[in-house]
Amino acid sequence: MVVRRMMKNREELKRMRKLLAVGVLMVCLAGMSGCAGAAGGGVSASGSESDSASGVVTSEPASASAEVSGTEFSGLENSGESASDAASKTAAPVWSEMQPEGSMKLLYATQFTVDVYEGGYELIQIQDDGKYLVVPETMPVPEGVPDSITVLQKPLDHVYLAATSAMDLIAAIGRTDRITLSGTKESGWYVEAAKEAMKAGTLTYAGKYSAPDYEKILADGCDLAVESTMIYHTPEVKEQLSQLKIPVLVERSSYEEHPLGRMEWIRLYGVLFDEEEKAEQLFKKNMEALDGVLSEQPAGKTAAFFYITSNGAVNVRKPGDYVAKMIGLAGGSYVPQTASEEENALSTMNMQMEAFYASVKDADYLIYNSTIDGELKSLNELLAKSSLLADFKAVKEGNVWCTEKNLFQETMGLGDMILDIRRILTEENPDPAEMVYLYRLE
């Protein structure tokens, strides 16, 4: 706290933490006590300094965002004061006295909520993960915030991203500049903005989710780690990041029951990265593009989505999986419906080719998932994987399609995928120029 009084400017605090980072890391990794208070990087629930940050959302996100940014602090830029100066001069509200003024009205997402408070404060709650109080850059941390709430103070501009599905949403709102550390190597990215950032050196690899480079993360002044649910398999990593005072937010869009709920997470990233209005506009635009398809009658066609493993088994989606639901939203019926809803949380399962043949041979369309073993270039390449496929109705009628490898990283493309499926179900010869993720195997 003495350091904070001496240095009100947030960037100076970050530079100081970088100088201390290596020493703090060695202490923490050695398991010595006291490192949780030495590292810096988040804000404790009791209201101490944090470098984490986030955004503002209300039940009317676009207008509310303009209202918050355009009134009380409209003259700040010309005053010569830094945001931290302004925050230090503003009396901190008392958390127990604060009441939400509105909530984000979500259409499909169920895995997060956002409540809005006076002064631009926002409380994000993520299902089965935690609560995060987003504090505007120009506002102080409220007094008496309970330990169960992680405080994120804007701007969040040194983020470690281990959840690949989030990158496309962040890129869509033009905020890849806030992501400085990646849990994925350049060769593993299919999101163009991420690849370009890594080539330019503004985004660097800092170790995968299960083995992050703590030294690099600390030296970068990381103010937030965005993890996928895979972090639950390595709880010691989450604990270590928290011990280093780096807030951890677990991205749970993959747990959304409705496919479009995954895309709606763009609104959460709009809050975190000060792009609420743009996020609202993009989500609305995508929903409008789907209006016609979602209201149309079923096409009366069946479709399977699968790939063949290296040992000859067939990997299929369970009926409740989001890909199967996308086929339904496009007007089709997913097969095999006999795919077991096993007790584990996996969305896929393996079938023997003979069982797959019995369940899917009469399907109207086959969609081959190229994500695992690469894109196929011809129907013969598919038939080389199993001669039984030659007897399938879809193969005989030329209705076999393949996905491009970038599909599963491009979360904003879910609407385009639904439109692609609708085209193949309803058009005899879809225009290749209109197709985004699917191409016919000849």
Side-chain angles (χ1 to χ4, degrees):
M1 292 304 294
V2 173
V3 174
R4 188 189 184 286
R5 294 191 190 101
M6 294 174 62
M7 298 181 178
K8 293 180 181 178
N9 187 282
R10 185 172 180 275
E11 291 304 317
E12 292 180 12
L13 287 172
K14 276 195 171 185
R15 286 193 289 272
M16 173 164 282
R17 281 206 320 281
K18 289 182 180 181
L19 294 175
L20 296 173
V22 175
V24 171
L25 176 66
M26 296 304 295
V27 171
C28 290
L29 293 181
M32 297 177 66
S33 63
C35 68
V43 179
S44 69
S46 61
S48 59
E49 172 83 25
S50 170
D51 286 335
S52 301
S54 184
V56 180
V57 170
T58 69
S59 57
E60 298 294 339
S63 60
S65 173
E67 181 179 339
V68 170
S69 62
T71 55
E72 188 173 351
F73 302 101
S74 59
L76 185 60
E77 289 185 5
N78 299 321
S79 69
E81 289 185 309
S82 68
S84 56
D85 289 333
S88 66
K89 293 180 180 180
T90 303
V94 178
W95 176 249
S96 61
E97 298 175 358
M98 297 173 66
Q99 297 296 323
E101 297 183 325
S103 299
M104 180 183 288
K105 295 179 179 178
L106 298 167
L107 296 181
Y108 299 105
T110 61
Q111 293 297 305
F112 75 91
T113 60
V114 179
D115 293 327
V116 184
Y117 292 74
E118 182 181 359
Y121 297 92
E122 292 164 292
L123 184 66
I124 295 173
Q125 183 166 352
I126 297 180
Q127 186 75 24
D128 297 330
D129 178 42
K131 296 180 180 180
Y132 303 83
L133 180 63
V134 180
V135 179
E137 184 177 3
T138 53
M139 299 296 284
V141 175
E143 295 180 2
V145 179
D147 292 341
S148 59
I149 297 177
T150 300
V151 178
L152 305 175
Q153 179 131 31
K154 291 184 175 182
L156 291 171
D157 51 13
H158 287 76
V159 176
Y160 167 63
L161 181 66
T164 56
S165 60
M167 179 61 86
D168 192 49
L169 301 176
I170 297 168
I173 58 176
R175 280 305 183 183
T176 51
D177 61 319
R178 299 292 186 92
I179 313 301
T180 57
L181 299 169
S182 170
T184 302
K185 294 181 179 179
E186 182 180 339
S187 59
W189 281 115
Y190 295 101
V191 177
E192 197 60 35
K195 292 164 63 176
E196 291 176 357
M198 295 202 82
K199 287 179 181 178
T202 57
L203 177 64
T204 58
Y205 180 63
K208 61 186 296 186
Y209 77 93
S210 58
D213 186 335
Y214 297 111
E215 183 175 341
K216 178 177 286 189
I217 289 172
L218 275 173
D220 188 69
C222 179
D223 43 30
L224 177 65
V226 179
E227 301 276 357
S228 73
T229 54
M230 294 297 290
I231 196 68
Y232 293 146
H233 298 294
T234 55
E236 67 279 5
V237 172
K238 189 173 186 289
E239 181 180 352
Q240 183 65 67
L241 289 170
S242 297
Q243 190 177 34
L244 294 174
K245 285 297 182 182
I246 297 173
V248 178
L249 184 152
V250 179
E251 211 268 7
R252 289 180 57 88
S253 64
S254 62
Y255 281 70
E256 295 290 352
E257 290 190 8
H258 197 288
L260 298 178
R262 296 179 174 224
M263 190 192 301
E264 196 164 13
W265 275 68
I266 192 174
R267 301 175 68 187
L268 181 142
Y269 294 111
V271 171
L272 292 177
F273 302 122
D274 297 306
E275 294 291 353
E276 299 96 321
E277 185 173 352
K278 184 180 290 187
E280 291 293 325
Q281 292 173 348
L282 287 169
F283 184 69
K284 181 179 179 181
K285 181 180 178 181
N286 276 270
M287 294 306 99
E288 289 174 347
L290 289 170
D291 278 347
V293 171
L294 299 180
S295 61
E296 288 181 6
Q297 295 296 315
K301 302 291 185 178
T302 55
F305 188 93
F306 72 103
Y307 73 88
I308 298 176
T309 68
S310 58
N311 62 7
V314 182
N315 183 274
V316 299
R317 298 280 165 158
K318 295 179 182 178
D321 174 67
Y322 82 104
V323 173
K325 290 181 178 180
M326 283 199 295
I327 291 173
L329 291 172
S333 296
Y334 175 76
V335 289
Q337 282 294 322
T338 54
S340 171
E341 290 288 355
E342 298 171 5
E343 292 182 1
N344 63 49
L346 296 176
S347 61
T348 65
M349 60 171 288
N350 288 338
M351 301 177 67
Q352 293 301 311
M353 177 55 75
E354 291 74 12
F356 181 72
Y357 176 87
S359 300
V360 180
K361 64 183 177 64
D362 293 324
D364 296 301
Y365 296 87
L366 296 180
I367 302 174
Y368 191 80
N369 177 11
S370 69
T371 306
I372 304 300
D373 62 348
E375 297 177 13
L376 302 179
K377 293 183 171 55
S378 69
L379 188 57
N380 285 336
E381 283 189 42
L382 176 61
L383 296 179
K385 294 178 179 292
S386 175
S387 59
L388 282 177
L389 292 170
D391 292 331
F392 282 53
K393 175 185 176 181
V395 174
K396 293 178 179 178
E397 296 181 355
N399 290 323
V400 182
W401 297 76
C402 187
T403 68
E404 295 186 353
K405 289 196 70 173
N406 57 343
L407 170 63
F408 294 104
Q409 281 189 11
E410 297 187 359
T411 311
M412 285 301 292
L414 292 176
D416 287 326
M417 180 61 173
I418 292 171
L419 292 172
D420 276 1
I421 297 172
R422 181 67 184 182
R423 291 187 187 101
I424 70 173
L425 295 178
T426 59
E427 300 176 20
E428 185 174 349
N429 293 299
D431 184 353
E434 294 183 349
M435 303 296 283
V436 180
Y437 293 110
L438 296 178
Y439 59 94
R440 193 193 296 268
L441 290 180
E442 305 287 355

